[in-house]
Amino acid sequence: MERVIKIASLMIVWLCLASCYESPHIDFHSYQELSEYNFISNGWIPEVVGNDAYSIQETYDVNNKHLFGKFDFKDRPKYDSIIKNYLIAEEDSLLIRIKEINKPRCPEWFIPKENLTKEKCVMVKVENFYLIMEKKRNRIYYLR
């Protein structure tokens, strides 16, 4: 019986430690839903997100203020004109930044590293966010 209690205790400790590695994850179906909260004004989502944004996802870590996110949008010309005013980010600096972020873990839905090329994306830096806009889809990924 004592052995069962020890094993159960160890399993509980292991589960607690494993769950500590998970980070909060948010999903908003639309900008209107997002605007009911203060994620943008508090700096958790970049201000580039417009009222035509949808399928907004983000995972973040409050302690180190790192995050990975993405959203889809409808008005391509609008985002093209906004993005062209930001500083171009080099692929190498973006990959280094992704590698530096230990928590939260890079989610499966985030853009694959092999797609981070100038042929497939426009990569920019604005304030403390990196923005990655796909050239063939109306989607922007972001990280901090």
Side-chain angles (χ1 to χ4, degrees):
M1 183 67 172
E2 211 175 293
R3 183 179 174 142
V4 172
I5 292 172
K6 285 182 182 179
I7 291 172
S9 297
L10 285 173
M11 288 182 69
I12 290 171
V13 169
W14 180 79
L15 286 172
C16 289
L17 290 174
S19 67
C20 289
Y21 197 71
E22 294 301 315
S23 298
H25 180 84
I26 57 171
D27 289 302
F28 294 106
H29 299 291
S30 67
Y31 178 83
Q32 290 69 30
E33 185 180 349
L34 169 66
S35 65
E36 294 175 14
Y37 302 90
N38 53 5
F39 282 95
I40 295 174
S41 63
N42 287 341
W44 286 103
I45 293 184
E47 291 182 359
V48 71
V49 177
N51 60 5
D52 66 332
Y54 62 98
S55 297
I56 304 159
Q57 290 184 292
E58 183 173 287
T59 184
Y60 58 93
D61 182 67
V62 174
N63 295 324
N64 61 28
K65 298 185 180 176
H66 294 160
L67 57 87
F68 291 96
K70 75 171 180 140
F71 65 93
D72 294 328
F73 57 88
K74 296 175 184 159
D75 189 356
R76 183 67 186 217
K78 173 183 146 187
Y79 287 94
D80 283 336
S81 67
I82 292 171
I83 293 290
K84 76 176 183 179
N85 292 314
Y86 296 146
L87 287 172
I88 299 294
E90 295 300 323
E91 296 167 39
D92 294 342
S93 67
L94 184 56
L95 290 170
I96 289 169
R97 182 67 188 130
I98 291 171
K99 191 174 183 179
E100 289 173 347
I101 299 174
N102 293 323
K103 189 172 180 183
R105 288 184 274 185
C106 189
E108 290 179 11
W109 47 258
F110 199 72
I111 188 169
K113 291 177 186 173
E114 58 271 8
N115 289 352
L116 291 173
T117 66
K118 290 181 181 176
E119 292 77 34
K120 296 181 180 181
C121 304
V122 176
M123 298 166 277
V124 298
K125 188 158 194 287
V126 57
E127 296 173 6
N128 54 358
F129 285 100
Y130 281 94
L131 304 176
I132 306 153
M133 184 168 69
E134 290 189 59
K135 289 185 176 179
K136 293 189 177 186
R137 292 173 72 183
N138 288 350
R139 176 171 289 163
I140 293 180
Y141 296 91
Y142 57 92
L143 63 107
R144 180 178 75 193

